[in-house]
Amino acid sequence: MSATSIPDPAAPLRREWRRFTPAQRLSRWLVWLVVVAALAWAVRSIDIIPEFLADAPEQMADLLVRMWPPDLAHYYPAVHAALIETLHIATLGTILAFALAVPVALLAARNVCPLRPLNVLAQFILVASRSVNSLVWALIFVAIFGPGAAAGTFAIAFRSVGFVGKLLSEALEETAPGPAEALRAAGAPWGAVMLKGFWPQVQPAFWGVALFRWDINVRESAVLGLVGAGGIGVVLDDAINYFQWDRVATVLLAILAVVVVAEVVVTRIRARLI
Amino acid sequence: MSAAAQRGLEIRGLVKEYQPGKPVLRGLDLDVAAEGITAVIGPSGTGKSTLIRCINRLVEPTAGEIRLHGQALTGLRGRALRLARRRIGMVFQEYNLVERLSVMENVLCGRLGYTPLWRAWLRRYPPADIERAFDLLDAVGLSEHAPRRADALSGGQRQRVGIARALMQGPDLLLADEPTSSLDPKTAVEVLELLVRLTGAARVPVILNIHNVELARRFAQRIIGMAGGVIVFDGPPEALEPGHLRLIYGGEDWL
């Protein structure tokens, strides 16, 4: 009867195991609290205008009716030429981005460049590049080069440097140290260690990143024309400004087609490569 | 006698501290003749690898002096260090081959210290080097695997490529850091036999770190026993007795 009140003599000997310490449990709980609070705050700060929300379905239906049927005759030559220009912007921008990103990635990788201040500087460059949206880069380069494809190419390149450089420096840091050590032990100079020790290990990542970024850049360069940086966005902007919604539909379909084709091509090449 | 001291490797007062005040090597003195196999045995963590890596400066010694054929290796920097490293071959426990390169190119990697960068880049290696690489692949029995990628090979085959790569340097000294620890017992013996035969033919002295005392006895002309960062035994395999092993590894239940 009173068995429950008798303290278990073996209690001090019983060992307990928990996944987390009390401090860890508390901090995990706090993280969840912060996440929920941030979500609630974000929802409250979006201003939803009730009148606009109310007739949103009507507006959308109206827009679709105006777009249909698409003015396919408009495709050639105006949209076609702009589309080709978009592809040129994406391709040249990606190549330029790699030319800029490779040296920065080498400086950012701690196993390649042992100087901490240079690592930090390179990482800062990469973050700075990524923190600016490509539309903002485009506005800057339109101011420098004037409107046109040159501004678009540079905008694409500068936005891509951060992305490409970060992924390349991570690929460099994930390489096995053994092969490079063996080459160093054989008296190979720095360039040879890079070429034969590091490059074969990062090669799949390099081409994977190149294709993926090109794929992203095709999509990004489609909107750069909205700020005058060349490509198909210019045609899209014009059509919207003149309320030629059937032409807008043609442009949107052309962009969709290019993105789908790019996706298929990139997936095929990646499968061959890796 | 001084001429004999000029040849081979001299180590004087070698100290290595990874953390200040906690030396791994405590003032090591060692002379290695210009020929033959010298096996270094000792428990894990006693500084065998550190010793070998101090010689080719993959690990920076804290104090002491190392000379190879009279040339001081300690204190070398930059280009001079690279030129000295070209004379020292190394074989690793985990092979350290470049996995995505072919067997042939891995062997040619041993010559990277001599090959101009543009040749390595365009894979236009000097014909004499390619000829020598084929000879070495013949010697380790892997000629028909030359075009295969290194990651397609078995452990024993990889270590043979590692040996061929080290000999490709035409070294004055070969360092082998646990070359057989990742291999099964039969393959380990085969690889060691190969190493001993080829380095004997090329008259290259070998410093061999090895866990397996029996293999050390079988293949080495000289055994160095290390414990606690100092040498506690130095002599021919016949002289190594259970008492020495107790001194090197501690305890006696395992004997």
Side-chain angles (χ1 to χ4, degrees):
Chain A
M1 274 122 271
S2 60
T4 49
S5 65
I6 295 171
D8 182 1
L13 297 175
R14 223 168 262 140
R15 284 181 294 183
E16 222 177 297
W17 179 84
R18 287 210 184 155
R19 172 95 160 70
F20 298 107
T21 66
Q24 280 174 325
R25 276 204 296 275
L26 183 68
S27 56
R28 284 167 68 85
W29 186 80
L30 280 175
V31 166
W32 278 114
L33 190 70
V34 168
V35 168
V36 171
L39 192 65
W41 187 27
V43 169
R44 283 179 51 145
S45 66
I46 300 174
D47 285 325
I48 296 170
I49 306 168
E51 301 86 75
F52 274 76
L53 193 65
D55 74 343
E58 262 171 69
Q59 294 289 344
M60 216 176 273
D62 184 42
L63 210 57
L64 287 174
V65 169
R66 282 162 197 253
M67 280 184 174
W68 192 261
D71 178 12
L72 294 179
H74 182 58
Y75 176 77
Y76 199 86
V79 176
H80 181 75
L83 198 60
I84 297 298
E85 192 179 53
T86 291
L87 289 177
H88 287 327
I89 292 173
T91 308
L92 280 180
T94 309
I95 292 171
L96 184 58
F98 269 79
L100 296 170
V102 167
V104 185
L106 289 174
L107 288 181
R110 268 162 292 181
N111 54 345
V112 176
C113 169
L115 299 171
R116 278 301 286 158
L118 281 181
N119 296 150
V120 173
L121 176 69
Q123 266 151 7
F124 177 76
I125 292 172
L126 297 179
V127 170
S129 154
R130 268 178 292 142
S131 69
V132 179
N133 188 281
S134 48
L135 275 176
V136 180
W137 277 120
L139 284 170
I140 293 170
F141 284 109
V142 166
I144 296 171
F145 294 111
T153 306
F154 275 86
I156 287 294
F158 274 69
R159 172 60 182 79
S160 304
V161 163
F163 179 92
V164 169
K166 182 180 167 63
L167 290 180
L168 285 185
S169 75
E170 280 174 2
L172 283 168
E173 287 185 349
E174 281 163 18
T175 53
E181 184 183 46
L183 301 189
R184 231 173 270 129
W190 187 85
V193 174
M194 284 291 125
L195 189 67
K196 298 294 173 187
F198 282 95
W199 168 245
Q201 295 193 59
V202 298
Q203 200 180 9
F206 181 90
W207 293 116
V209 171
L211 287 170
F212 186 35
R213 191 63 220 184
W214 180 77
D215 181 53
I216 294 174
N217 284 347
V218 169
R219 282 175 269 146
E220 293 230 314
S221 54
V223 296
L224 290 182
L226 296 178
V227 295
I232 201 165
V234 176
V235 184
L236 180 65
D237 196 33
D238 287 348
I240 293 175
N241 288 339
Y242 291 117
F243 303 111
Q244 295 163 327
W245 294 104
D246 48 352
R247 291 188 173 188
V248 171
T250 308
V251 173
L252 292 180
L253 284 176
I255 294 174
L256 178 68
V258 164
V259 169
V260 168
V261 169
E263 172 74 26
V264 170
V265 169
V266 166
T267 313
R268 288 260 170 103
I269 299 179
R270 272 169 66 91
R272 286 276 171 92
L273 221 69
I274 300 165
Chain B
M1 210 53 225
S2 71
Q6 281 283 303
R7 303 290 302 161
L9 185 76
E10 297 170 68
I11 300 177
R12 291 286 172 274
L14 182 63
V15 175
K16 174 61 189 176
E17 299 174 344
Y18 288 101
Q19 288 156 9
K22 290 185 182 169
V24 175
L25 299 176
R26 307 159 181 267
L28 213 92
D29 294 317
L30 181 64
D31 284 311
V32 177
E35 248 182 280
I37 311 282
T38 304
V40 182
I41 61 171
S44 302
T46 196
K48 302 195 299 292
S49 268
T50 301
L51 167 63
I52 256 189
R53 277 155 195 268
C54 279
I55 295 171
N56 64 3
R57 301 270 305 281
L58 288 178
V59 167
E60 203 52 48
T62 308
E65 198 172 335
I66 302 173
R67 290 171 174 277
L68 179 62
H69 295 349
Q71 187 202 12
L73 298 177
T74 37
L76 291 179
R77 306 192 127 269
R79 185 177 159 75
L81 176 61
R82 277 202 297 110
L83 297 189
R85 277 174 172 171
R86 299 199 306 199
R87 299 158 59 201
I88 306 172
M90 186 156 182
V91 177
F92 299 83
Q93 176 176 353
E94 297 296 340
Y95 329 122
N96 286 1
L97 302 181
V98 186
E99 305 267 290
R100 293 174 54 86
L101 293 183
S102 67
V103 167
M104 179 46 123
E105 214 174 337
N106 266 290
V107 176
L108 287 167
C109 275
R111 293 293 290 180
L112 278 181
Y114 297 89
T115 317
L117 191 59
W118 69 271
R119 280 186 177 275
W121 188 34
L122 299 176
R123 299 194 158 94
R124 298 178 68 112
Y125 296 95
D129 285 355
I130 293 174
E131 193 61 28
R132 189 171 150 69
F134 267 124
D135 288 347
L136 280 166
L137 282 175
D138 280 335
V140 300
L142 289 174
S143 311
E144 69 273 33
H145 295 288
R148 291 180 76 193
R149 252 170 59 161
D151 53 9
L153 302 183
S154 70
Q157 289 173 326
R158 286 184 203 205
Q159 196 56 294
R160 288 161 192 262
V161 176
I163 292 169
R165 174 175 67 184
L167 289 173
M168 191 70 198
Q169 288 172 243
D172 291 345
L173 172 68
L174 195 134
L175 309 171
D177 192 9
E178 302 283 1
T180 56
S181 296
S182 304
L183 303 174
D184 67 70
K186 178 167 163 282
T187 312
V189 170
E190 288 166 0
V191 164
L192 272 182
E193 267 170 358
L194 186 75
L195 180 76
V196 169
R197 184 157 53 79
L198 294 182
T199 54
R203 298 165 64 87
V204 178
V206 179
I207 298 181
L208 172 68
N209 276 354
I210 192 156
H211 268 303
N212 189 316
V213 178
E214 286 320 305
L215 287 182
R217 271 191 218 272
R218 184 162 155 192
F219 288 105
Q221 282 93 60
R222 179 182 173 193
I223 290 182
I224 308 286
M226 280 180 66
V230 291
I231 293 174
V232 294
F233 174 85
D234 184 354
E238 307 83 68
L240 186 68
E241 288 175 8
H244 296 122
L245 291 175
R246 267 198 295 279
L247 190 63
I248 296 167
Y249 291 98
E252 50 189 299
D253 294 344
W254 58 280
L255 279 170

